[in-house]
Amino acid sequence: MATTERSVDYSKRFDGKTAIVTGAASGIGLATAEMLIQDGGRVVAVDLDQAALDAARARLGERYVPVAVDLTHPDAAAYIVEGAGFAEILVNNVGIMDGFLPLTELDDATWDGVLAVNTTAMMRLCRAALPPMLKAGRGSIVNVSSEATFRTCAGIAYTVSKYAVNGLTKHIAALYAGLGVRCNAVAPGGVRTNVGSNFRSEMAAGRLWPIMAATAPEEAEPELLARAICFLADDHGAKYINGAIIPVDAGWSVV
Ligand SMILES: NC(=O)c1ccc[n+]([C@@H]2O[C@H](COP(=O)([O-])OP(=O)(O)OC[C@H]3O[C@@H](n4cnc5c(N)ncnc54)[C@H](O)[C@@H]3O)[C@@H](O)[C@H]2O)c1
């Protein structure tokens, strides 16, 4: 097979491109927004936290476009996509934890709240962002899943929500393959962010913590996740990657 492009100038790989990044005011989302901007892109940065969005905008400049919305609002996805202009990259990064609650201690509010953010908000944004991508014949969606889909290292609501993210990712990849749109996911191990990893269950702490402490590699800085997300978002290096759930965990999933 003939190869025409042998190298890529990374500092320009997102030149002229708009990316929607959710949860973009903290942790992995902020690091990803920063890398997309560094490499030429414009980022529609979606988050709840207005003060953190403003601080990032002051630091990153006008190609960081803050949009303060709660992604669980039913109209949020349409509002974001309509306001963004054509976004050929969507990084569905938003996510919250669940206190590691096992089924016997689970309350409906935790289940509903975690699925609303981690799964339903992602589905809605994919659903809103896809038609313009399909019309243009190009687009890349990167969803943020979790190590919790390879091993039990969270509560039941979070675990189920992230298995659903994997299903969403593979279904989109399968149905729109060949139409210029790719959809992949990263599954981070432990990352140093503000996500909150407090156990609200003594039982789960007793069962899970010793195993996690014995097997987990050192936590990653968010930038290491941003590198993997930007690789998948980029149509050069990842052009032939579609439907992949990539562990970004220093090998934790195989220990
Ligand atoms: N940190 C880890 O160890 C780890 C491990 C595996 C997976 N993940 C996943 O990585 C993703 C990013 O998490 P992080 O660790 O960077 O967390 P973080 O808490 O540092 O950042 C998440 C951001 O999402 C925003 N947010 C939360 N709910 C929102 C809502 N309803 N509407 C709009 N914005 C909202 C928060 O304000 C915050 O800025 C999540 O999907 C998380 O599940 C993280």
Side-chain angles (χ1 to χ4, degrees):
M1 189 175 94
T3 306
T4 48
E5 293 173 90
R6 293 217 166 255
S7 63
V8 62
D9 179 350
Y10 273 69
S11 68
K12 296 195 173 128
R13 64 182 159 160
F14 300 120
D15 262 9
K17 296 188 176 178
T18 292
I20 296 169
V21 180
T22 66
S26 171
I28 296 167
L30 178 58
T32 302
E34 196 163 348
M35 193 167 288
L36 286 159
I37 288 167
Q38 242 167 31
D39 294 353
R42 168 180 173 268
V43 171
V44 175
V46 183
D47 208 287
L48 268 181
D49 188 338
Q50 178 81 65
L53 283 170
D54 291 346
R57 161 72 177 220
R59 195 165 59 79
L60 298 174
E62 63 183 18
R63 280 191 280 126
Y64 182 92
V65 182
V67 179
V69 293
D70 182 343
L71 281 154
T72 63
H73 192 288
D75 298 333
Y79 174 76
I80 293 159
V81 169
E82 278 161 26
F86 175 54
E88 63 192 88
I89 296 168
L90 167 62
V91 180
N92 249 328
N93 162 75
V94 76
I96 55 173
M97 272 293 276
D98 64 353
F100 292 80
L101 294 179
L103 185 60
T104 47
E105 297 172 39
L106 178 69
D107 55 281
D108 281 354
T110 299
W111 175 266
D112 291 344
V114 169
L115 266 87
V117 176
N118 293 10
T119 305
T120 307
M122 282 205 190
M123 176 281 292
R124 287 199 186 121
L125 207 40
C126 288
R127 188 174 59 187
L130 253 170
M133 290 180 179
L134 291 169
K135 193 167 170 208
R138 63 182 199 280
S140 176
I141 299 173
V142 185
N143 295 326
V144 178
S145 177
S146 171
E147 180 81 13
T149 61
F150 302 128
R151 66 171 65 246
T152 303
C153 60
I156 191 157
Y158 184 87
T159 302
V160 169
S161 75
K162 293 298 190 178
Y163 268 88
V165 169
N166 291 2
L168 181 73
T169 303
K170 291 183 186 188
H171 203 277
I172 292 169
L175 270 285
Y176 305 102
L179 299 174
V181 177
R182 298 177 298 105
C183 183
N184 295 289
V186 294
V191 189
R192 214 163 279 127
T193 69
N194 297 314
V195 79
S197 51
N198 294 340
F199 280 87
R200 283 199 275 138
S201 162
E202 260 182 53
M203 183 270 212
R207 296 271 300 174
L208 298 181
W209 181 244
I211 300 167
M212 290 169 66
T215 55
E218 194 186 334
E219 277 190 329
E221 292 303 328
E223 196 219 317
L224 291 178
L225 271 297
R227 288 189 204 176
I229 292 167
C230 287
F231 164 71
L232 288 172
D234 175 19
D235 262 338
H236 184 80
K239 193 174 180 64
Y240 207 56
I241 302 178
N242 190 27
I245 314 293
I246 299 189
V248 186
D249 64 355
W252 192 15
S253 65
V254 291
V255 176

